[in-house]
Amino acid sequence: MSVPVARTVSELRAVVAQWRRSGATIGIVPTMGALHDGHLSLVRKALERAERVIVTLFVNPKQFNSPADLIAYPRTESEDAAKLAPLGTHLLYVPDTEEMYPAGFATAVSVSGISECLCGAFRPGHFNGVATVVAKLFLQAGADFAFFGEKDFQQLQLVRRLVRDLDIPITIVPCPTVREADGLALSSRNVRLSPAQRAIAPKLASVLLDTAERLARGSPILPALDEARATILAAGYRELEYLELRGETDLQSLASLDRSARLLAAAWLGDTRLIDNVAISPIGSWSGARSSLQSEAAQQLR
Ligand code: AMP
Protein backbone atom coordinates (compact mmCIF):
# COMPACT_ATOMS: atom_id res chain seq x y z
CA MET A 1 0.00 0.00 0.00
CA SER A 2 1.43 3.37 -0.98
CA VAL A 3 1.05 6.69 0.79
CA PRO A 4 -1.00 9.35 -1.06
CA VAL A 5 1.06 12.40 -2.03
CA ALA A 6 0.03 16.06 -2.08
CA ARG A 7 2.33 18.43 -3.97
CA THR A 8 0.46 21.72 -3.68
CA VAL A 9 -1.07 23.72 -0.86
CA SER A 10 -4.52 23.30 -2.37
CA GLU A 11 -4.17 19.49 -2.61
CA LEU A 12 -2.99 19.42 1.02
CA ARG A 13 -5.86 21.62 2.19
CA ALA A 14 -8.45 19.53 0.34
CA VAL A 15 -7.33 16.37 2.17
CA VAL A 16 -7.16 18.15 5.53
CA ALA A 17 -10.65 19.63 5.05
CA GLN A 18 -12.04 16.16 4.42
CA TRP A 19 -10.36 14.85 7.58
CA ARG A 20 -11.71 17.78 9.56
CA ARG A 21 -15.25 17.05 8.39
CA SER A 22 -14.89 13.56 9.84
CA GLY A 23 -13.69 15.07 13.14
CA ALA A 24 -10.17 13.55 12.98
CA THR A 25 -7.20 15.02 14.84
CA ILE A 26 -4.17 15.75 12.67
CA GLY A 27 -0.41 15.50 13.29
CA ILE A 28 2.40 16.82 11.11
CA VAL A 29 6.03 15.67 10.98
CA PRO A 30 8.19 18.17 9.08
CA THR A 31 11.35 16.66 7.54
CA MET A 32 13.81 17.22 4.74
CA GLY A 33 13.53 13.58 3.68
CA ALA A 34 16.39 11.03 3.49
CA LEU A 35 14.52 9.36 6.33
CA HIS A 36 16.19 7.21 8.99
CA ASP A 37 14.92 5.61 12.20
CA GLY A 38 15.10 8.95 14.04
CA HIS A 39 12.54 10.43 11.65
CA LEU A 40 10.45 7.26 11.79
CA SER A 41 10.30 7.47 15.61
CA LEU A 42 8.61 10.88 15.19
CA VAL A 43 6.13 9.38 12.74
CA ARG A 44 5.34 6.52 15.13
CA LYS A 45 4.73 8.98 17.96
CA ALA A 46 2.53 11.08 15.67
CA LEU A 47 0.47 8.01 14.76
CA GLU A 48 -0.06 7.27 18.47
CA ARG A 49 -1.14 10.83 19.21
CA ALA A 50 -3.17 11.87 16.15
CA GLU A 51 -5.74 10.11 14.00
CA ARG A 52 -4.27 11.36 10.72
CA VAL A 53 -0.56 11.98 10.09
CA ILE A 54 1.09 14.12 7.42
CA VAL A 55 4.84 13.73 6.80
CA THR A 56 6.39 16.60 4.86
CA LEU A 57 9.45 16.18 2.64
CA PHE A 58 10.94 19.53 1.67
CA VAL A 59 14.61 20.39 1.34
CA ASN A 60 14.28 24.01 2.40
CA PRO A 61 16.76 26.19 0.50
CA LYS A 62 16.32 29.04 2.98
CA GLN A 63 17.96 27.11 5.81
CA PHE A 64 21.14 26.19 3.94
CA ASN A 65 24.18 28.43 4.26
CA SER A 66 26.08 26.84 1.43
CA PRO A 67 24.67 26.33 -2.11
CA ALA A 68 26.93 23.25 -2.51
CA ASP A 69 25.46 21.69 0.65
CA LEU A 70 21.93 22.32 -0.68
CA ILE A 71 22.73 20.64 -4.00
CA ALA A 72 24.43 17.69 -2.28
CA TYR A 73 21.54 17.09 0.16
CA PRO A 74 20.05 13.64 -0.57
CA ARG A 75 16.60 13.53 -2.19
CA THR A 76 15.12 10.06 -1.83
CA GLU A 77 11.35 10.46 -2.13
CA SER A 78 10.52 6.94 -3.29
CA GLU A 79 12.70 5.30 -0.60
CA ASP A 80 11.16 7.62 1.99
CA ALA A 81 7.64 6.75 0.85
CA ALA A 82 8.49 3.03 1.05
CA LYS A 83 9.62 3.49 4.68
CA LEU A 84 6.51 5.47 5.62
CA ALA A 85 3.86 3.24 4.03
CA PRO A 86 4.16 0.26 6.43
CA LEU A 87 3.85 2.58 9.44
CA GLY A 88 0.43 3.74 8.27
CA THR A 89 1.30 7.36 7.35
CA HIS A 90 -1.80 8.98 5.88
CA LEU A 91 -0.32 11.64 3.60
CA LEU A 92 3.03 12.75 2.21
CA TYR A 93 3.28 16.46 1.50
CA VAL A 94 6.06 17.11 -1.02
CA PRO A 95 5.91 20.69 -2.28
CA ASP A 96 8.59 21.94 -4.66
CA THR A 97 10.51 25.17 -4.15
CA GLU A 98 8.18 27.10 -6.50
CA GLU A 99 5.18 26.04 -4.46
CA MET A 100 6.76 27.14 -1.18
CA TYR A 101 8.53 30.25 -2.44
CA PRO A 102 6.80 31.49 -5.60
CA ALA A 103 8.23 34.45 -7.52
CA GLY A 104 7.91 37.59 -5.44
CA PHE A 105 8.08 35.78 -2.08
CA ALA A 106 9.25 38.49 0.33
CA THR A 107 8.43 37.49 3.90
CA ALA A 108 10.82 36.11 6.53
CA VAL A 109 10.00 34.90 10.01
CA SER A 110 12.68 35.57 12.60
CA VAL A 111 12.75 34.45 16.24
CA SER A 112 15.26 36.71 17.94
CA GLY A 113 17.52 35.65 20.82
CA ILE A 114 17.27 31.92 20.41
CA SER A 115 18.31 32.11 16.72
CA GLU A 116 21.61 33.86 17.24
CA CYS A 117 23.43 31.63 19.71
CA LEU A 118 24.97 28.13 19.37
CA CYS A 119 24.30 26.82 15.82
CA GLY A 120 22.91 30.23 14.84
CA ALA A 121 26.29 31.87 15.45
CA PHE A 122 27.94 29.49 12.98
CA ARG A 123 25.10 29.26 10.45
CA PRO A 124 23.90 32.82 9.81
CA GLY A 125 20.32 32.93 8.53
CA HIS A 126 19.76 29.22 9.17
CA PHE A 127 17.12 29.62 11.87
CA ASN A 128 15.26 32.35 9.96
CA GLY A 129 14.95 29.82 7.16
CA VAL A 130 13.71 27.19 9.62
CA ALA A 131 11.22 29.58 11.26
CA THR A 132 9.88 30.72 7.88
CA VAL A 133 9.32 27.23 6.50
CA VAL A 134 7.87 25.85 9.74
CA ALA A 135 5.42 28.77 10.01
CA LYS A 136 4.35 28.15 6.41
CA LEU A 137 3.91 24.39 6.92
CA PHE A 138 1.83 24.99 10.07
CA LEU A 139 -0.41 27.51 8.31
CA GLN A 140 -0.73 25.35 5.20
CA ALA A 141 -1.69 22.18 7.06
CA GLY A 142 -3.60 23.50 10.08
CA ALA A 143 -2.59 20.41 12.10
CA ASP A 144 -3.27 19.96 15.83
CA PHE A 145 0.15 18.51 16.72
CA ALA A 146 3.67 18.81 15.30
CA PHE A 147 6.50 16.43 16.15
CA PHE A 148 10.13 17.54 16.45
CA GLY A 149 13.26 15.69 17.54
CA GLU A 150 15.30 16.72 20.58
CA LYS A 151 18.31 15.89 18.41
CA ASP A 152 17.90 19.42 17.00
CA PHE A 153 17.27 20.94 20.40
CA GLN A 154 17.76 24.58 19.44
CA GLN A 155 15.34 24.12 16.53
CA LEU A 156 12.78 22.53 18.88
CA GLN A 157 12.95 25.49 21.29
CA LEU A 158 12.80 27.96 18.41
CA VAL A 159 9.63 26.31 17.10
CA ARG A 160 8.05 26.38 20.56
CA ARG A 161 8.80 30.11 20.85
CA LEU A 162 7.47 30.71 17.32
CA VAL A 163 4.06 29.12 17.96
CA ARG A 164 3.68 30.94 21.28
CA ASP A 165 4.65 34.30 19.83
CA LEU A 166 2.46 34.01 16.72
CA ASP A 167 -0.48 32.28 18.50
CA ILE A 168 -0.37 29.40 16.05
CA PRO A 169 -2.88 26.86 17.40
CA ILE A 170 -0.69 23.75 17.34
CA THR A 171 0.86 21.64 20.10
CA ILE A 172 4.58 20.95 19.71
CA VAL A 173 5.50 17.43 20.80
CA PRO A 174 9.21 16.81 21.55
CA CYS A 175 10.60 13.35 20.72
CA PRO A 176 13.76 11.84 22.26
CA THR A 177 16.94 11.45 20.21
CA VAL A 178 17.28 8.05 18.57
CA ARG A 179 20.84 6.69 18.76
CA GLU A 180 22.94 3.91 17.32
CA ALA A 181 23.91 1.14 19.75
CA ASP A 182 27.21 2.94 20.45
CA GLY A 183 25.46 6.22 21.29
CA LEU A 184 25.93 8.15 18.03
CA ALA A 185 22.79 10.17 17.32
CA LEU A 186 21.17 9.13 14.04
CA SER A 187 21.63 11.76 11.35
CA SER A 188 21.36 11.88 7.56
CA ARG A 189 24.97 13.10 7.66
CA ASN A 190 26.36 9.94 9.31
CA VAL A 191 26.60 8.18 5.93
CA ARG A 192 29.31 10.66 4.94
CA LEU A 193 31.65 9.39 7.70
CA SER A 194 34.57 7.15 6.71
CA PRO A 195 34.95 3.92 8.74
CA ALA A 196 37.70 5.58 10.81
CA GLN A 197 35.54 8.64 11.46
CA ARG A 198 32.55 6.46 12.26
CA ALA A 199 34.62 4.80 15.00
CA ILE A 200 35.43 8.20 16.54
CA ALA A 201 31.96 9.73 16.12
CA PRO A 202 30.24 8.28 19.27
CA LYS A 203 32.79 10.10 21.45
CA LEU A 204 30.71 13.26 21.13
CA ALA A 205 27.70 11.59 22.77
CA SER A 206 29.72 9.77 25.41
CA VAL A 207 31.57 12.94 26.48
CA LEU A 208 28.28 14.84 26.70
CA LEU A 209 26.71 12.11 28.82
CA ASP A 210 29.75 11.78 31.11
CA THR A 211 29.96 15.54 31.54
CA ALA A 212 26.22 15.84 32.22
CA GLU A 213 26.56 13.25 34.95
CA ARG A 214 29.56 15.02 36.49
CA LEU A 215 27.77 18.38 36.47
CA ALA A 216 24.62 16.91 37.95
CA ARG A 217 26.80 15.46 40.74
CA GLY A 218 28.12 18.93 41.50
CA SER A 219 31.44 19.20 39.62
CA PRO A 220 32.47 22.82 38.94
CA ILE A 221 31.09 23.83 35.56
CA LEU A 222 33.98 25.58 33.78
CA PRO A 223 36.69 22.92 34.34
CA ALA A 224 34.22 20.16 33.41
CA LEU A 225 33.35 21.92 30.14
CA ASP A 226 37.03 22.58 29.35
CA GLU A 227 37.88 18.95 29.93
CA ALA A 228 34.98 17.83 27.75
CA ARG A 229 36.12 20.10 24.90
CA ALA A 230 39.68 18.80 25.13
CA THR A 231 38.52 15.16 25.17
CA ILE A 232 36.46 15.61 22.00
CA LEU A 233 39.38 17.18 20.14
CA ALA A 234 41.80 14.55 21.45
CA ALA A 235 39.45 11.83 20.17
CA GLY A 236 39.98 13.07 16.60
CA TYR A 237 37.29 15.68 15.98
CA ARG A 238 38.85 18.36 13.75
CA GLU A 239 37.07 21.37 15.23
CA LEU A 240 34.65 22.07 18.03
CA GLU A 241 32.24 24.91 17.22
CA TYR A 242 30.78 24.94 20.69
CA LEU A 243 30.21 22.81 23.76
CA GLU A 244 28.01 24.78 26.13
CA LEU A 245 25.81 24.47 29.18
CA ARG A 246 22.56 26.35 28.60
CA GLY A 247 19.18 26.92 30.23
CA GLU A 248 16.73 24.42 28.80
CA THR A 249 14.07 26.75 27.40
CA ASP A 250 15.83 30.04 26.58
CA LEU A 251 19.25 28.49 25.78
CA GLN A 252 20.96 31.31 27.67
CA SER A 253 24.35 30.68 29.32
CA LEU A 254 24.23 29.29 32.84
CA ALA A 255 26.73 30.14 35.57
CA SER A 256 25.24 27.58 37.96
CA LEU A 257 22.97 24.59 37.69
CA ASP A 258 19.99 26.20 39.38
CA ARG A 259 17.42 25.18 36.78
CA SER A 260 16.89 22.56 34.10
CA ALA A 261 19.75 22.69 31.67
CA ARG A 262 21.04 21.19 28.48
CA LEU A 263 24.56 20.43 27.40
CA LEU A 264 24.88 21.07 23.66
CA ALA A 265 27.72 20.64 21.18
CA ALA A 266 28.55 20.97 17.48
CA ALA A 267 31.78 19.56 16.10
CA TRP A 268 33.41 18.73 12.79
CA LEU A 269 34.67 15.26 12.04
CA GLY A 270 36.59 15.73 8.81
CA ASP A 271 34.11 17.51 6.53
CA THR A 272 31.04 16.38 8.44
CA ARG A 273 29.40 18.59 11.02
CA LEU A 274 27.70 16.69 13.85
CA ILE A 275 25.50 18.08 16.62
CA ASP A 276 24.23 16.50 19.82
CA ASN A 277 22.83 17.42 23.24
CA VAL A 278 21.79 15.86 26.55
CA ALA A 279 19.61 16.94 29.48
CA ILE A 280 20.93 17.79 32.96
CA SER A 281 18.80 17.82 36.10
CA PRO A 282 19.09 20.80 38.51
CA ILE A 283 21.55 20.24 41.36
CA GLY A 284 18.90 20.48 44.13
CA SER A 285 17.23 17.35 42.81
CA TRP A 286 20.46 15.37 42.91
CA SER A 287 19.11 12.39 44.88
CA GLY A 288 16.82 11.61 41.94
CA ALA A 289 19.09 13.15 39.35
CA ARG A 290 21.54 10.32 39.10
CA SER A 291 18.92 7.69 38.48
CA SER A 292 16.95 9.88 36.08
CA LEU A 293 20.15 10.78 34.23
CA GLN A 294 21.15 7.16 34.08
CA SER A 295 17.77 6.15 32.80
CA GLU A 296 17.91 8.91 30.21
CA ALA A 297 21.39 7.81 29.18
CA ALA A 298 20.25 4.23 29.00
CA GLN A 299 17.21 5.24 26.97
CA GLN A 300 19.31 7.42 24.70
CA LEU A 301 21.87 4.72 24.20
CA ARG A 302 19.27 2.03 23.60
P1 AMP B 1 15.60 16.84 9.24
O1 AMP B 1 15.05 16.02 8.14
O2 AMP B 1 17.04 16.60 9.51
O3 AMP B 1 15.23 18.29 9.12
O4 AMP B 1 14.88 16.33 10.57
C1 AMP B 1 13.47 16.24 10.65
C2 AMP B 1 13.07 15.96 12.07
O5 AMP B 1 13.64 14.73 12.50
C3 AMP B 1 13.54 17.03 13.06
O6 AMP B 1 12.50 17.29 14.00
C4 AMP B 1 14.72 16.37 13.71
O7 AMP B 1 14.98 16.84 15.02
C5 AMP B 1 14.27 14.93 13.75
N1 AMP B 1 15.42 14.03 13.91
C6 AMP B 1 16.55 13.97 13.17
N2 AMP B 1 17.41 13.04 13.67
C7 AMP B 1 16.81 12.52 14.77
C8 AMP B 1 17.19 11.53 15.73
N3 AMP B 1 18.36 10.90 15.69
N4 AMP B 1 16.32 11.26 16.74
C9 AMP B 1 15.11 11.89 16.81
N5 AMP B 1 14.70 12.83 15.93
C10 AMP B 1 15.54 13.14 14.92
Side-chain angles (χ1 to χ4, degrees):
M1 207 187 63
S2 61
V3 186
V5 181
R7 297 195 186 272
T8 64
V9 179
S10 59
E11 286 169 9
L12 171 70
R13 287 203 169 131
V15 176
V16 168
Q18 208 183 346
W19 290 344
R20 286 286 179 215
R21 279 194 293 275
S22 73
T25 54
I26 300 169
I28 187 168
V29 183
T31 81
M32 297 207 297
L35 302 183
H36 52 62
D37 282 345
H39 299 113
L40 300 185
S41 74
L42 272 52
V43 179
R44 285 194 193 92
K45 189 146 188 181
L47 286 161
E48 281 166 26
R49 187 84 182 254
E51 288 155 325
R52 293 287 179 275
V53 170
I54 306 163
V55 176
T56 77
L57 307 180
F58 179 62
V59 181
N60 176 29
K62 290 195 184 293
Q63 70 187 73
F64 282 78
N65 309 84
S66 133
D69 195 20
L70 172 62
I71 291 166
Y73 203 86
R75 282 139 173 108
T76 56
E77 181 181 328
S78 50
E79 289 92 328
D80 293 342
K83 289 176 186 167
L84 292 168
L87 302 185
T89 308
H90 300 94
L91 184 70
L92 261 180
Y93 177 46
V94 194
D96 65 14
T97 305
E98 280 300 293
E99 183 70 11
M100 288 300 264
Y101 304 118
F105 187 90
T107 301
V109 181
S110 176
V111 183
S112 67
I114 215 159
S115 296
E116 285 108 42
C117 60
L118 303 171
C119 287
F122 294 89
R123 305 187 68 189
H126 168 71
F127 285 118
N128 289 355
V130 171
T132 302
V133 80
V134 167
K136 280 180 68 80
L137 291 170
F138 288 177
L139 294 168
Q140 290 172 349
D144 303 292
F145 305 99
F147 299 80
F148 286 85
E150 291 185 350
K151 158 77 169 38
D152 300 279
F153 197 77
Q154 189 172 5
Q155 171 175 281
L156 167 67
Q157 300 302 38
L158 169 121
V159 171
R160 284 174 152 160
R161 186 76 255 165
L162 168 78
V163 302
R164 274 202 301 271
D165 288 355
L166 296 186
D167 305 307
I168 301 178
I170 192 165
T171 300
I172 305 303
V173 182
C175 304
T177 302
V178 176
R179 297 176 180 280
E180 302 282 5
D182 60 11
L184 175 65
L186 264 55
S187 162
S188 316
R189 294 195 164 94
N190 292 353
V191 293
R192 298 188 200 158
L193 299 172
S194 70
Q197 290 168 339
R198 177 62 190 80
I200 296 167
K203 199 68 186 170
L204 185 63
S206 65
V207 168
L208 287 176
L209 283 166
D210 288 350
T211 309
E213 184 169 355
R214 283 179 62 186
L215 293 175
R217 243 192 282 126
S219 285
I221 293 172
L222 293 181
L225 296 184
D226 280 344
E227 200 178 308
R229 292 177 185 121
T231 309
I232 287 166
L233 291 172
Y237 274 82
R238 173 168 68 78
E239 187 193 329
L240 187 63
E241 284 186 353
Y242 63 82
L243 188 153
E244 301 272 350
L245 177 70
R246 297 287 171 122
E248 175 143 41
T249 47
D250 57 8
L251 298 183
Q252 293 305 301
S253 292
L254 281 188
S256 67
L257 257 187
D258 51 4
R259 58 192 168 109
S260 292
R262 209 87 193 174
L263 201 54
L264 307 102
W268 288 86
L269 195 46
D271 293 331
T272 306
R273 182 177 183 273
L274 299 177
I275 60 171
D276 205 344
N277 68 88
V278 298
I280 306 181
S281 308
I283 242 164
S285 61
W286 170 234
S287 55
R290 187 175 177 84
S291 56
S292 74
L293 185 70
Q294 282 174 334
S295 70
E296 181 185 343
Q299 187 193 341
Q300 290 185 342
L301 289 168
R302 207 170 289 144

